[in-house]
Amino acid sequence: MPFAFRDVISILDYSREDLELLFKTTDKIRELLEKKSSLNYLDGKIAALLFLEPSTRTMYSFQTAVYRLGGKALVFTSEQATSLAKGENYADTIRMFDSYSDVIIIRSKYEGTARFAAEIAEKPVINGGDGRHEHPTQAMIDLYTIRYFFGRIDGLTIGILGDLKYARTIASLLYGLTLYNPRKIYLISPGVLRLREEVRKKILERNLPITEVSRLDEVIEELDVLYVTRIQKERYPDPIEYEKVKNLYKITPETLTKVKENFKILHPLPKIDEIDPRIDNTKYAGYFQQAKLGVPLRMALLLLVLGLWR
Amino acid sequence: MPFAFRDVISILDYSREDLELLFKTTDKIRELLEKKSSLNYLDGKIAALLFLEPSTRTMYSFQTAVYRLGGKALVFTSEQATSLAKGENYADTIRMFDSYSDVIIIRSKYEGTARFAAEIAEKPVINGGDGRHEHPTQAMIDLYTIRYFFGRIDGLTIGILGDLKYARTIASLLYGLTLYNPRKIYLISPGVLRLREEVRKKILERNLPITEVSRLDEVIEELDVLYVTRIQKERYPDPIEYEKVKNLYKITPETLTKVKENFKILHPLPKIDEIDPRIDNTKYAGYFQQAKLGVPLRMALLLLVLGLWR
Amino acid sequence: MPFAFRDVISILDYSREDLELLFKTTDKIRELLEKKSSLNYLDGKIAALLFLEPSTRTMYSFQTAVYRLGGKALVFTSEQATSLAKGENYADTIRMFDSYSDVIIIRSKYEGTARFAAEIAEKPVINGGDGRHEHPTQAMIDLYTIRYFFGRIDGLTIGILGDLKYARTIASLLYGLTLYNPRKIYLISPGVLRLREEVRKKILERNLPITEVSRLDEVIEELDVLYVTRIQKERYPDPIEYEKVKNLYKITPETLTKVKENFKILHPLPKIDEIDPRIDNTKYAGYFQQAKLGVPLRMALLLLVLGLWR
C-alpha cells in the first residue's frame, strides 16, 4: 500500500513498482471513463484545493478529477488568500481545511510548503507544485504519457529543453526518470539555465545517463521524446544575450524535418510562443494528449491515496 | 435534432420550430421542478463556465441550471483569467476546458469569442454573450417570457427602449423576433443610440415591422410589452445633452398611467435606476419573473444540446 | 418548529429550548458523520453563500456543511461583488439569489444587512455576520462547544477577553449566554475596548452576572472557560498606550500556570498572535475543536431551517 493515506510530496518517495501500480490504475480508470463520464468512488468526499499561487491547469485538472470521481471541492485561491485576515498563522489555515476536507491539494510559490502542510494535517496532502522545488503529479503525468505513446520508458532517448534551472516540472521529471532505464537524456539549454546543482547531484547519484548540450539541432534526430519548457526572458541577465539565443530554443516545423517517425513533443503547459502553433495539429504534438491524461492519472492517485481503490 | 451536440452561437441559427421545441421543453422542466427541486439528467457531467467578462446574472443563472440538473461546474472568471500566465494562447485555454468538461459556456467582451471557441472545442459551446454582438440565451429567455405572459408572440406590439446601439441583448432579441409575427416593434431611443446598421439590415431583410421613435410617451398606450435597457451616461458624447434627455427614458409610476391592462415590462437585468423601484411590486413588472424563467430555459437548452432529452 | 423556514438573524430570537433542539440535532449529526462522511438530506438543494465581506472560516465552514449534507453552493464573494455592474440595487441582487437557491447565507460589513435581505427574500436567510452587530451561528457554536467540553453552561465561570467593543462574536455570545445561568461572566479588556452601551443594556436587562475587569491575571484561576478575541492595534487611540497594555492580554504558557484542571480556551478564529502557539497542543486549547464543531452545528441548523429534519 505505497499510496494509501500517505502524503504525495516528492516523486523520490516512490519506487518503480509504486508508479507501475499508479499507471495501471490510471489505465483502468480510462477504461471506465469510456463507458461512463463520471465514477462515484468519492461520493460524499471533499477535496480542499489550496492554490496559493495562481494556477489554472493544475487546479482545474485536479478539480475535474475530483468531480469525475463524484467528489466535491473547496477551492481556495490566491485571490481569496490575499484577502485573508492579514497575518493569520499559516498552520491554522491548514488546520481549518484539514478539519473540513478528506484530502488537501496544495500549491504554493514557496519551497517546502506541501511538506509543512503534511506535517500539520491529519488528512493526506498532495503537492501541486511548491516553488521551483517539485511538482510530483506533473512528473507522474509526464512519465505516464511517455508510456502511453511508446509502451515503455526504458531504452528511449529523451531531450529536455528550456529552463532547466527554475522549472520545477523538470526537477520532478528527472527524479522520476531515475526509476527507469532510458537510453540517454539530453539536457538542452543555454548555459545560464543549466540544471541546479542539487538536482544534478541527486540524478547523478542515481546514475541517470544525462548529457548536457546547448543546441537542439545537434541531437534532434536521435530523440524519441522532446520535453519542452519555456525560457523566460526575465531569467536572462542580459537581454541582448537573450535575443541572440532565443530562436535556438523555439520549436518550428523546420526544427522537425529530420525527426524519428514516432517522435513526440511533450510540454507541461501553458505554452506561450516556445512551440509554433503550426505544430499543434501534427502527429508530433503530444502535449494536448498529455494534458488530457492528467485527469485520469489524478483520479487514480486520489483513489489510491484515499484507500478507495482495490 | 436542431440542438443536439450543436453550438449555440447566434439566435439566427434557429428556426421558429427550433425555438418552439426549446420552449416546450422548458414548460416540461418547469413542471418537473414543481415536484422536485433538482433533476438528475446531468449526473456525472461537468459544465465549464468561462466568464472572461465580469457577469453575475448570466453566470449564476447557468450555474444554477447546471446544479438543478445534477451536474457540476468548473467556474473560470475574469478575476482568475487575469492571473493567468500572461500570454497564453487563448486557443489552448479553450482546449484545456474542452478536455475537462462536457459543455462550455463562454462570455467575453470581444465579439466572435464564442464562435472562435466553438471552432476549437469538440464539446458544444454556448455563447453567454460576446461583446456587443449577441446574447442568444438571453433572447431565448426574453421570447419565452413574452410567451409565458401572453401565450404568444405573434400579434403583439412590443416597445424596445434604451441603448439600442450597444446592448447585445437587443440585437439578439430583434433577431429572435424576426422568427415571429409581432404586430409592431417600436424602437425607442435617443438619436445617438439608434440601432447599428448591421442589425437594422438583418432585421429589415427579415421584414420585422419596426418603427423608430424618440419618445416613450408617444407609444406607451399601444404597447403590450416594453423591453427596457439602460442608457449609460458614458455613451453620450455630450453630458449636457444626456441630462436633457435622460428623464424621457426612465420608467416611473407616472409613465404607466395609461398602459394596457396586461402590459408588462421586461428587462435583462441588472437594472440601475432606469426603472423606479416603486414599479417592482406592481403587476406590470415582468422582469423578476423573466430572470426566474432563465433557469428552467437554460436547463432545457443544456439538456437539448447534450442530447439528454427525449 | 422554532427554526423551520424562519430566518436566522439574531441569537436573541431563540429560547433556551430552541438552542437545546439545535444542540441535540448537532449531537445526532455528529453521530451520523462518524459512520458516513456525508449525508444526503440536501440532495438537489442549493445554498447561496453571499460573502460580501472577505471571510474564510465562516464561508468554508458553511460550504463544508452544505457539501456534507449533499447540497450544492453558489458562492458569491466580495471579490466578485466588486466587479458587479456598479450601482446595482442591492435588493435586486438578493432577489436574484432568492430565485436561484433554497437558502441564503449572507455576510456583510454593514449592520442590518442580513435583516434587510430577509425582508426581501422568500427563502430563509442566515446571518453569517453583519458588521459589528451580530454573528448568531458563531455564538451557537461557542455555546455548543462549552456544552461539549463541560456538559453544561449553567454554573460555569466564563472569561471573555479582548475587543469587547467591536467584536460581533462577543455581542452574540453574550446574548446567547443570557439564556443560561452561568455562575459569573468576567469581561476582561482595557478600558477603551469595553462593551458597547447597547450590548451592556441588553444583557443587564436579562440579568447576566457580568463583572468588568482590566486584568486577566486577577481572575484566571477562577475561570472554567476563557474566550479570547484579538485586540487590534488600530483600535487604540494612542500607540504608546497600546504598547503598554498589549502583553496583559496575550495568552502564554505562563498565563496558564494556575488554571483549573478542566480549563479551556476558546477563540472564534482566525487568531494572529493573541495566543502563543505553544498552547495549541495543550489540553487547554479548545479552539480547534470549536472550529471543527462548527460544521455539524451548521449542518444541523441548515436541516432545521429547511424543515428537513424530524
Side-chain angles (χ1 to χ4, degrees):
Chain A
M1 303 286 274
F3 292 98
F5 308 108
R6 287 180 49 191
D7 306 303
V8 179
I9 306 302
S10 166
I11 195 148
L12 286 169
D13 297 336
Y14 299 92
S15 70
R16 180 165 176 157
E17 288 65 40
D18 297 341
L19 293 187
E20 276 310 303
L21 171 63
L22 174 65
F23 295 164
K24 277 181 181 144
T25 309
T26 307
D27 291 341
K28 189 78 186 123
I29 295 283
R30 285 175 48 226
E31 270 175 51
L32 292 172
L33 287 178
E34 267 165 42
K35 287 169 226 146
K36 226 169 156 294
S37 63
S38 290
L39 313 174
N40 56 8
Y41 293 91
L42 249 65
D43 248 19
K45 293 280 188 289
I46 297 176
L49 272 64
L50 316 187
F51 277 73
L52 309 172
E53 176 187 48
S55 159
T56 52
R57 302 265 154 194
T58 305
M59 188 176 90
Y60 288 104
S61 174
F62 265 116
Q63 197 174 349
T64 303
V66 169
Y67 284 179
R68 294 271 182 224
L69 287 167
K72 298 194 169 179
L74 294 174
V75 178
F76 181 68
T77 64
S78 57
E79 293 80 34
Q80 293 167 303
T82 55
S83 66
L84 266 184
K86 279 177 201 83
E88 190 197 8
N89 200 310
Y90 173 66
D92 282 5
T93 305
I94 299 298
R95 278 187 193 100
M96 167 175 70
F97 284 106
D98 191 37
S99 82
Y100 294 166
S101 66
D102 301 294
V103 58
I104 295 172
I105 299 146
I106 189 164
R107 183 199 201 105
S108 152
K109 60 181 165 184
Y110 303 110
E111 294 165 38
T113 302
R115 200 174 290 282
F116 179 70
E119 277 162 24
I120 290 174
E122 289 174 24
K123 309 291 164 55
V125 169
I126 297 176
N127 185 0
D130 63 323
R132 54 187 194 177
H133 198 223
E134 280 223 44
H135 195 348
T137 64
Q138 181 65 49
M140 290 164 178
I141 293 164
D142 299 340
L143 294 169
Y144 182 78
T145 305
I146 297 173
R147 184 180 169 280
Y148 170 88
F149 281 124
F150 295 88
R152 63 192 166 99
I153 296 165
D154 294 340
L156 298 181
T157 298
I158 298 170
I160 299 181
L161 177 144
D163 184 347
L164 309 186
K165 192 164 180 182
Y166 298 104
R168 60 189 160 205
T169 56
I170 284 178
S172 285
L173 174 57
L174 287 170
Y175 298 154
L177 283 169
T178 64
L179 301 175
Y180 293 84
N181 299 302
R183 202 177 73 81
K184 215 163 186 180
I185 304 290
Y186 283 114
L187 299 176
I188 310 157
S189 78
V192 292
L193 292 177
R194 295 252 160 117
L195 225 48
R196 299 199 302 280
E197 210 37 59
E198 58 177 285
V199 179
R200 186 196 315 271
K201 190 160 164 284
K202 279 187 195 160
I203 61 173
L204 287 176
E205 274 169 10
R206 287 165 177 78
N207 301 312
L208 196 68
I210 58 167
T211 306
E212 299 187 66
V213 297
S214 305
R215 299 178 59 103
L216 175 60
D217 53 8
E218 291 172 15
V219 299
I220 183 88
E221 295 173 46
E222 281 182 60
L223 302 178
D224 296 297
V225 172
L226 176 62
Y227 192 93
V228 180
T229 61
R230 193 159 83 93
I231 291 179
Q232 291 180 287
K233 197 175 176 174
E234 310 82 89
R235 295 274 158 78
Y236 246 79
D238 179 353
I240 295 161
E241 202 63 28
Y242 170 81
E243 290 303 320
K244 269 196 269 179
V245 303
K246 69 174 182 182
N247 287 325
L248 293 173
Y249 304 98
K250 282 205 176 148
I251 316 302
T252 63
E254 292 68 47
T255 321
L256 305 184
T257 45
K258 290 179 181 171
V259 296
K260 285 188 183 174
E261 177 65 17
N262 295 317
F263 172 75
K264 285 284 179 287
I265 301 171
L266 302 189
H267 191 298
L269 302 182
K271 59 184 171 68
I272 312 291
D273 58 1
E274 56 273 32
I275 298 177
D276 188 309
R278 285 174 295 169
I279 291 168
D280 288 356
N281 295 315
T282 69
K283 65 176 183 172
Y284 303 128
Y287 33 85
F288 295 135
Q289 183 61 27
Q290 178 188 10
K292 227 173 203 162
L293 293 171
V295 173
L297 185 131
R298 285 178 169 129
M299 291 170 75
L301 184 64
L302 283 164
L303 286 180
L304 290 169
V305 163
L306 286 165
L308 293 168
W309 182 264
R310 66 209 69 243
Chain B
M1 304 284 275
F3 292 98
F5 307 108
R6 286 180 49 191
D7 305 303
V8 180
I9 306 301
S10 167
I11 196 148
L12 286 169
D13 297 335
Y14 299 92
S15 71
R16 179 164 177 159
E17 289 66 40
D18 298 342
L19 293 186
E20 276 311 304
L21 171 62
L22 174 65
F23 295 164
K24 278 183 180 143
T25 308
T26 307
D27 291 343
K28 189 79 185 122
I29 295 285
R30 286 176 47 228
E31 271 175 52
L32 292 172
L33 287 177
E34 268 166 40
K35 286 168 226 147
K36 224 169 158 291
S37 62
S38 289
L39 313 175
N40 56 8
Y41 292 92
L42 248 65
D43 248 19
K45 293 280 188 288
I46 297 175
L49 274 64
L50 315 188
F51 278 72
L52 310 173
E53 177 187 48
S55 159
T56 51
R57 302 268 154 192
T58 305
M59 188 175 91
Y60 288 105
S61 174
F62 265 115
Q63 196 174 351
T64 304
V66 170
Y67 284 179
R68 293 273 183 223
L69 287 167
K72 299 195 167 177
L74 294 174
V75 178
F76 181 69
T77 65
S78 57
E79 292 81 33
Q80 292 168 303
T82 55
S83 66
L84 264 184
K86 278 178 202 84
E88 191 197 8
N89 201 309
Y90 173 65
D92 282 4
T93 305
I94 299 299
R95 277 187 194 100
M96 167 175 68
F97 285 106
D98 191 37
S99 82
Y100 295 166
S101 66
D102 300 294
V103 57
I104 295 171
I105 299 146
I106 189 164
R107 184 198 201 106
S108 152
K109 60 180 164 184
Y110 303 110
E111 293 164 39
T113 302
R115 199 174 291 281
F116 178 71
E119 276 162 24
I120 289 174
E122 289 173 26
K123 309 290 165 56
V125 169
I126 298 176
N127 186 359
D130 63 324
R132 52 188 197 178
H133 198 224
E134 279 222 47
H135 195 349
T137 64
Q138 181 65 48
M140 290 165 178
I141 293 163
D142 299 340
L143 295 169
Y144 183 79
T145 305
I146 297 173
R147 183 180 168 280
Y148 170 89
F149 281 124
F150 295 89
R152 62 192 167 99
I153 296 164
D154 295 339
L156 297 181
T157 297
I158 299 170
I160 299 181
L161 177 143
D163 184 347
L164 309 186
K165 192 165 180 182
Y166 297 105
R168 59 188 160 207
T169 56
I170 284 177
S172 285
L173 174 58
L174 286 170
Y175 297 155
L177 284 168
T178 64
L179 301 174
Y180 293 86
N181 300 301
R183 201 178 74 81
K184 217 164 185 177
I185 306 291
Y186 283 114
L187 300 175
I188 310 156
S189 77
V192 293
L193 292 177
R194 294 251 161 117
L195 225 49
R196 297 199 302 279
E197 211 37 59
E198 57 176 288
V199 179
R200 186 195 315 269
K201 191 159 164 286
K202 279 187 194 162
I203 62 174
L204 287 176
E205 273 169 10
R206 287 167 176 76
N207 300 311
L208 195 69
I210 59 167
T211 305
E212 299 187 65
V213 299
S214 304
R215 298 178 60 101
L216 175 60
D217 53 7
E218 292 172 14
V219 298
I220 183 88
E221 295 174 45
E222 282 182 62
L223 301 178
D224 297 297
V225 172
L226 176 62
Y227 191 94
V228 179
T229 60
R230 193 160 82 94
I231 292 179
Q232 292 180 286
K233 197 176 176 173
E234 310 83 88
R235 293 275 156 78
Y236 247 78
D238 180 352
I240 296 160
E241 202 63 27
Y242 170 82
E243 291 302 321
K244 270 197 269 180
V245 302
K246 68 174 182 183
N247 288 325
L248 293 173
Y249 304 98
K250 281 203 176 151
I251 316 302
T252 63
E254 293 67 47
T255 320
L256 304 184
T257 46
K258 290 177 181 171
V259 296
K260 285 187 184 175
E261 178 65 15
N262 294 318
F263 172 74
K264 285 284 178 287
I265 302 171
L266 302 189
H267 192 298
L269 303 181
K271 58 185 173 67
I272 312 292
D273 58 1
E274 57 273 31
I275 299 177
D276 188 309
R278 285 174 295 170
I279 291 168
D280 288 356
N281 295 315
T282 69
K283 65 174 183 173
Y284 303 127
Y287 34 85
F288 295 135
Q289 183 62 29
Q290 178 188 9
K292 228 173 203 163
L293 292 171
V295 173
L297 185 131
R298 285 178 168 129
M299 290 170 75
L301 183 64
L302 283 164
L303 286 181
L304 291 169
V305 162
L306 286 165
L308 294 167
W309 182 263
R310 64 210 70 242
Chain C
M1 304 285 273
F3 293 98
F5 309 107
R6 287 179 50 192
D7 305 303
V8 179
I9 306 302
S10 166
I11 195 147
L12 286 168
D13 298 337
Y14 300 92
S15 70
R16 178 164 176 158
E17 289 65 39
D18 297 341
L19 293 187
E20 277 309 305
L21 171 63
L22 174 65
F23 294 164
K24 278 181 181 145
T25 308
T26 308
D27 291 343
K28 189 77 185 124
I29 296 285
R30 285 176 47 227
E31 269 175 52
L32 292 172
L33 288 177
E34 268 165 40
K35 286 170 224 145
K36 226 169 155 289
S37 63
S38 288
L39 313 175
N40 56 7
Y41 292 91
L42 248 65
D43 248 18
K45 293 281 188 285
I46 296 176
L49 273 64
L50 316 187
F51 278 72
L52 309 173
E53 177 187 47
S55 159
T56 52
R57 303 265 153 194
T58 306
M59 188 175 91
Y60 288 105
S61 174
F62 265 116
Q63 196 174 350
T64 304
V66 170
Y67 284 179
R68 294 272 183 224
L69 287 167
K72 298 194 169 177
L74 293 174
V75 178
F76 182 68
T77 64
S78 57
E79 292 80 34
Q80 292 167 304
T82 55
S83 66
L84 264 184
K86 279 178 201 82
E88 191 197 8
N89 200 309
Y90 173 65
D92 282 3
T93 304
I94 299 298
R95 278 187 193 101
M96 167 174 70
F97 284 107
D98 191 36
S99 82
Y100 294 167
S101 65
D102 301 293
V103 57
I104 294 171
I105 299 145
I106 189 164
R107 182 198 203 106
S108 152
K109 60 181 165 183
Y110 303 110
E111 293 165 39
T113 302
R115 198 174 292 281
F116 178 70
E119 276 162 25
I120 289 174
E122 289 174 25
K123 308 293 164 55
V125 169
I126 298 176
N127 185 359
D130 64 322
R132 53 188 195 177
H133 198 223
E134 279 223 45
H135 195 349
T137 63
Q138 181 65 49
M140 291 164 177
I141 293 163
D142 299 341
L143 295 169
Y144 182 79
T145 305
I146 297 173
R147 183 180 169 280
Y148 170 89
F149 282 122
F150 296 87
R152 63 192 167 99
I153 296 164
D154 294 341
L156 297 181
T157 298
I158 299 170
I160 300 181
L161 176 143
D163 184 348
L164 309 185
K165 191 165 182 182
Y166 298 104
R168 59 187 160 207
T169 56
I170 285 177
S172 285
L173 173 58
L174 286 169
Y175 298 154
L177 284 168
T178 65
L179 302 173
Y180 293 85
N181 299 303
R183 202 178 72 82
K184 215 164 188 178
I185 305 289
Y186 283 114
L187 300 174
I188 309 156
S189 77
V192 292
L193 292 178
R194 294 251 160 117
L195 226 49
R196 297 199 303 280
E197 210 37 60
E198 59 176 285
V199 180
R200 186 195 316 271
K201 191 161 164 285
K202 279 187 194 161
I203 61 173
L204 287 177
E205 273 170 10
R206 286 166 177 79
N207 300 312
L208 195 68
I210 59 168
T211 305
E212 300 188 66
V213 298
S214 305
R215 299 178 59 102
L216 175 60
D217 54 6
E218 291 172 13
V219 298
I220 183 88
E221 295 173 46
E222 281 182 61
L223 301 178
D224 297 297
V225 172
L226 176 62
Y227 191 94
V228 180
T229 60
R230 194 160 83 94
I231 291 179
Q232 293 180 286
K233 196 175 177 175
E234 310 83 86
R235 295 274 156 79
Y236 247 79
D238 180 351
I240 296 161
E241 201 64 27
Y242 171 80
E243 291 302 321
K244 269 196 272 179
V245 303
K246 69 175 184 183
N247 288 324
L248 292 173
Y249 303 98
K250 283 204 176 151
I251 316 301
T252 63
E254 293 67 46
T255 320
L256 305 183
T257 47
K258 290 178 181 172
V259 295
K260 285 188 183 174
E261 176 67 14
N262 294 317
F263 172 75
K264 285 282 178 287
I265 302 171
L266 302 189
H267 191 299
L269 302 182
K271 58 185 172 66
I272 312 291
D273 58 1
E274 56 273 32
I275 298 176
D276 187 310
R278 285 174 294 170
I279 292 169
D280 288 355
N281 295 314
T282 69
K283 65 174 183 171
Y284 303 128
Y287 33 85
F288 295 135
Q289 183 63 27
Q290 179 188 9
K292 227 173 203 162
L293 293 171
V295 173
L297 185 132
R298 286 179 168 129
M299 290 170 74
L301 183 65
L302 283 164
L303 286 181
L304 291 169
V305 163
L306 286 165
L308 293 167
W309 183 264
R310 64 209 70 244

